[in-house]
Amino acid sequence: MAITPKKAPENLVYRGRPLLRQGGELYYGDMRDPYIVMLRILETKKLGDFTVASRVAVSLLKTAADASPLERIVKHGEKPGLYDALDIGAVWLERALSAEKG
């Protein structure tokens, strides 16, 4: 009997857009689009056996390479959990991309 390696996990998708994690930061959206959302976990807490985000910074960012780091920040806020941050980030991203299309 042959042992087959586990299949590599596919990228996460939320509301039809990619969601990537790098340490305590999550990036939501496609880097080829004019905007993405960055979520940064600021605080965590234990909930039973799990560690969950209890404070998350959410930022709508321009992806333009010629913009300075401060010019890239379009909107910024904090939410009390990952779901709330991702939810508002998805709304911001959808509105920004819709306005960009005209």
Side-chain angles (χ1 to χ4, degrees), residues 45-96:
K45 66 179 178 181
K46 290 292 272 181
L47 191 61
D49 292 338
F50 298 100
T51 302
V52 296
S54 58
R55 201 173 112 215
V56 180
V58 56
S59 302
L60 177 66
L61 305 174
K62 291 181 185 178
T63 57
D66 59 342
S68 74
L70 288 178
E71 290 174 334
R72 288 184 186 191
I73 301 170
V74 178
K75 287 187 179 189
H76 180 79
E78 279 189 25
K79 292 294 176 182
L82 185 57
Y83 176 79
D84 290 338
L86 187 54
D87 195 41
I88 193 68
V91 170
W92 289 353
L93 183 60
E94 200 59 45
R95 288 180 181 171

